[in-house]
Amino acid sequence: MERVLLAIVTVARRYPLVLTGLVVLAVSLALKAAGQGTAGDLLAGAFAAAVGLWTAGGMVREILHGRWGLDILAVTAIAATLAVQEDIAAVIIVLMLTGGGALEDFAAGRARRELTALLDRAPRVAHRQTADGVEDVPLDAVLPGDLLVVRPNEVVPVDGALASSAGVFDESSLTGESLPVERAEGEPVLSGSVNGPVAVLLRATTTAADSQFSQIVALVRQASESRAPVVRLADRYAVPFTVFSLALAGLGWWASGSPVRFAEVLVVATPCPLLIAAPVAFLGGMSRSAKNGVIVKGGAVLEILARIRTAAFDKTGTLTQGRPELVEVRPASGLDPDELLALVASAEQYSSHALAASVVEAAAARGVGLRPVEGAEEVATNGVSAAVGGRQVHVGKRSFVVDQTGAELPEPPLRPGELAVYVAVDGVPAGVVVLRDAPRAEAKATLARLKRAGAAHVLMLTGDAEATARSIAAELGVTEVRSGLLPLEKVEAVRAAEPRPVLMVGDGVNDAPVLAAADVGIAMGARGATAASESAGAVVLVDDISRAAKAVEISQRTVKVALQSIWLGIALSVGLMVVALTGVLPPVAGALLQELVDVATILNALRALGGGPKPGGIETGTGPHSVLATDRAA
């Protein structure tokens, strides 16, 4: 009983006119049943007139600012029903008008459930372990290096490394992966994931503001506040729909000679489907995307994704694994393989590039020790120059090493998928280190899904050498390849791409400009590429490129459902108006039927939350804890 009373109080506070309208309607009907019809009509008429005047005042202010809305129909319908003494019908129209907000709130809340679930779960405090015990501190007070206690079933407050021997975490709300993931000591743990049944220790690696979960929450807030072009399109239907409805009602009055017919037509012309259906559908689409591990920043992004005709991809770390493996060390004369690998790995330890990390890891695996380094300088996406043990070492792309040394570097023979990192020591060519970055397992199927979705033109943009790029492209079935590109050249290629709209998918920081230049960019954000994520229209939270295709498929279904809902509302309203034109629909019955049209239209819009075909399904990603990769291969 208490819960029912609390619900009534909550509704009364949020929607006082709705509750008042229901009370007025009930009392008016009771008075009529008791033989006090005049009193009932007076009560209903006074309430409907008051709300109508209040709405009319707002409508006039909007018109004076040049904004013509659908309130004109509602106000005219209230006035018409009152003029012909259909006071109960007028109250029902008022309930339809004032209840539209409540209905929209309910439908929107249902549609954005996955989005708001992330916001609702955002932690406020962290449990920091100190020498004196465990203290609760505000989330903003957490610093990298702090040792935190994460209790059973708690949300991980910041990104960190597991300090306990093992832990189990639920990352489903972040990645869409349904199964819990196991982490060993020292492995990264994502903020926003949920700890398992045992308390664990976590060493914070970022502040709360820099943690992935905080960035996701910011994206979600941006997405939930957006408006899509289709939503604005529904707004533009207001004037023609209003004119058509008034003209049809006027025709009914003229043909019948009765003003009652004018009211009968207008009561079924209320426009709630146009106002509510499209926003609900787009919120549902964004919510469904979030459930599948993709944060879409707004309805406008969904609308563009639904029309994609060209798809462009970065190569390293996007179409490929981004974790190259050392295949072979090929020294020039005078060096042995281990010595060359030691020099290269010593220089590359100062680079953040995925190729550099692979070389350093390979040296450690082979037991090759690193040499002392007196100084190092990296040229982003190109290579590293370092003083190693008194020798000047240049490592990176062929063009970079040639520019640094002026030496001629022949291109080595490579097998499909292999790439070469060139090396010069003291200005003399010293050989190459050969690596292979294999295509992602899901890449070929993803490209096929995008083509089925309408992106018939697919191209690869990469800074790699042409031979390496074309070998990967051949494996994946990509026919157009642009290789050896600098970041700004990628931007130019995307701007010139046809047909449009153009989708660009990339991951690294050097992809930020080209993601921003595309009609819509999708960032593979699982590897922490913050700059790329900020410039993109959508962010994939898992290390799984198939989610880009899933985002396009969800977008197409969302736009389809939104447009269907708009036209369904228009068709049903027009159909009821035509029926009312014959005089067989009394005003009260027409008003009740129009309420059913509102409900049907909104329920149809909620279909954007799920259903529809699922080509290829949801492939399991390799996880969001992979290394960052960008193009810097030979």
Side-chain angles (χ1 to χ4, degrees):
M1 186 63 181
E2 290 181 4
R3 296 178 67 179
V4 173
L5 289 174
L6 181 61
I8 293 174
V9 171
T10 302
V11 170
R13 286 178 176 174
R14 292 189 64 183
Y15 311 108
L17 282 178
V18 176
L19 187 61
T20 304
L22 290 171
V23 171
V24 167
L25 181 62
V27 172
S28 298
L29 292 173
L31 287 171
K32 282 178 171 290
Q36 300 293 322
T38 302
D41 287 339
L42 285 173
L43 176 62
F47 173 72
V51 176
L53 288 171
W54 178 73
T55 305
M59 178 191 72
V60 170
R61 286 192 294 272
E62 290 290 308
I63 292 174
L64 290 176
H65 286 87
R67 295 188 292 268
W68 292 76
L70 289 160
D71 284 346
I72 296 173
L73 277 179
V75 170
T76 307
I78 293 171
T81 49
L82 289 175
V84 298
Q85 299 181 341
E86 291 284 353
D87 303 292
I88 298 299
V91 173
I92 295 174
I93 295 171
V94 167
L95 282 173
M96 194 185 313
L97 180 65
T98 57
L103 193 59
E104 181 176 13
D105 287 348
F106 166 77
R110 173 76 176 83
R112 60 160 61 97
R113 184 173 57 186
E114 299 297 335
L115 293 173
T116 54
L118 287 171
L119 299 178
D120 294 341
R121 291 173 54 254
R124 300 289 185 269
V125 298
H127 315 302
R128 183 165 58 193
Q129 183 162 305
T130 65
D132 299 325
V134 177
E135 61 176 359
D136 285 353
V137 298
L139 208 59
D140 293 341
V142 175
L143 299 173
D146 284 352
L147 189 62
L148 306 177
V149 176
V150 185
R151 294 168 181 161
N153 302 315
E154 275 192 341
V155 176
V156 176
V158 298
D159 294 340
L162 188 63
S164 298
S165 59
V168 177
F169 300 90
D170 178 3
E171 298 178 351
S172 59
S173 63
L174 297 174
T175 66
E177 301 288 354
S178 58
L179 297 177
V181 295
E182 297 180 2
R183 294 283 182 263
E185 184 175 359
E187 288 191 332
V189 178
L190 287 175
S191 57
S193 57
V194 180
N195 186 27
V198 179
V200 296
L201 293 176
L202 183 78
R203 183 73 64 182
T205 54
T206 66
T207 63
D210 293 333
S211 290
Q212 173 158 313
F213 189 57
S214 294
Q215 295 170 19
I216 291 172
V217 167
L219 292 175
V220 168
R221 287 200 178 100
Q222 179 183 345
S224 61
E225 294 169 359
S226 69
R227 280 167 60 83
V230 171
V231 178
R232 293 190 292 271
L233 183 62
D235 293 343
R236 289 201 296 272
Y237 290 154
V239 173
F241 185 76
T242 299
V243 172
F244 173 80
S245 301
L246 292 172
L248 201 61
L251 176 64
W253 187 351
W254 175 80
S256 66
S258 171
V260 175
R261 192 65 50 83
F262 182 83
E264 288 173 345
V265 173
L266 281 189
V267 296
V268 295
T270 50
C272 286
L274 293 182
L275 296 173
I276 300 173
V280 166
F282 274 82
L283 283 171
M286 289 187 288
S287 186
R288 188 177 173 208
S289 294
K291 189 175 182 179
N292 282 273
V294 185
I295 299 296
V296 178
K297 292 185 181 180
V301 176
L302 279 176
E303 197 274 338
I304 297 172
L305 279 173
R307 298 185 291 110
I308 288 302
R309 293 296 175 264
T310 297
F313 289 84
D314 172 46
K315 184 185 77 67
T316 306
T318 302
L319 289 175
T320 64
Q321 299 285 353
R323 293 181 293 276
E325 297 180 355
L326 180 65
V327 175
E328 187 180 359
V329 180
R330 301 180 187 174
S333 57
L335 291 174
D336 62 49
D338 284 351
E339 184 179 2
L340 178 62
L341 182 58
L343 292 172
V344 173
S346 300
E348 291 278 50
Q349 66 181 311
Y350 294 94
S351 171
S352 60
H353 196 277
L355 300 183
S358 297
V359 173
V360 174
E361 290 170 5
R366 296 187 181 193
V368 176
L370 301 183
R371 309 285 176 84
V373 178
E374 291 77 35
E377 179 181 2
E378 182 177 22
V379 177
T381 78
N382 283 278
V384 175
S385 297
V388 181
R391 308 178 76 176
Q392 190 63 37
V393 179
H394 300 285
V395 182
K397 287 183 177 180
R398 182 170 177 267
S399 58
F400 169 77
V401 177
V402 168
D403 289 343
Q404 296 295 314
T405 64
E408 288 297 324
L409 298 176
E411 293 189 24
L414 298 171
R415 291 184 291 272
E418 292 182 344
L419 53 91
V421 176
Y422 292 80
V423 189
V425 177
D426 294 331
V428 177
V432 295
V433 174
V434 180
L435 301 100
R436 174 173 170 78
D437 187 13
R440 289 177 180 266
E442 74 274 17
K444 190 170 185 177
T446 298
L447 299 181
R449 288 169 64 182
L450 285 171
K451 287 181 179 179
R452 287 196 299 270
H457 183 207
V458 177
L459 64 153
M460 177 195 292
L461 308 177
T462 178
D464 282 1
E466 184 173 0
T468 303
R470 290 203 173 277
S471 65
I472 296 294
E475 285 190 58
L476 299 179
V478 179
T479 55
E480 184 173 348
V481 179
R482 308 282 182 83
S483 58
L485 299 179
L486 296 173
L488 290 181
E489 291 173 327
K490 290 184 181 180
V491 170
E492 293 170 1
V494 163
R495 286 177 175 167
E498 293 289 346
R500 304 196 80 86
V502 176
L503 165 69
M504 175 68 198
V505 185
D507 69 331
V509 172
N510 66 315
D511 290 329
V514 69
L515 289 172
D519 294 302
V520 60
I522 295 182
M524 301 294 291
R527 296 177 177 181
T530 305
S533 300
E534 289 175 352
S535 62
V539 181
V540 177
L541 303 180
V542 292
D543 194 19
D544 181 358
I545 196 177
S546 72
R547 305 302 171 93
K550 187 67 179 177
V552 172
E553 292 161 359
I554 290 173
S555 299
Q556 290 180 338
R557 175 170 171 77
T558 298
V559 172
K560 181 180 179 181
V561 168
L563 290 172
Q564 281 178 347
S565 300
I566 290 172
W567 288 112
L568 174 65
I570 291 175
L572 290 176
S573 292
V574 170
L576 286 176
M577 282 190 280
V578 172
V579 173
L581 201 62
T582 66
V584 300
L585 272 183
V588 172
L592 291 172
L593 282 173
Q594 184 58 44
E595 287 281 14
L596 294 178
V597 171
D598 293 352
V599 173
T601 305
I602 289 166
L603 288 177
N604 186 73
L606 284 171
R607 290 170 49 235
L609 277 169
K614 298 180 180 179
I618 294 292
E619 293 82 4
T620 301
T622 54
H625 49 283
S626 317
V627 297
L628 171 66
T630 54
D631 284 323
R632 202 205 71 188

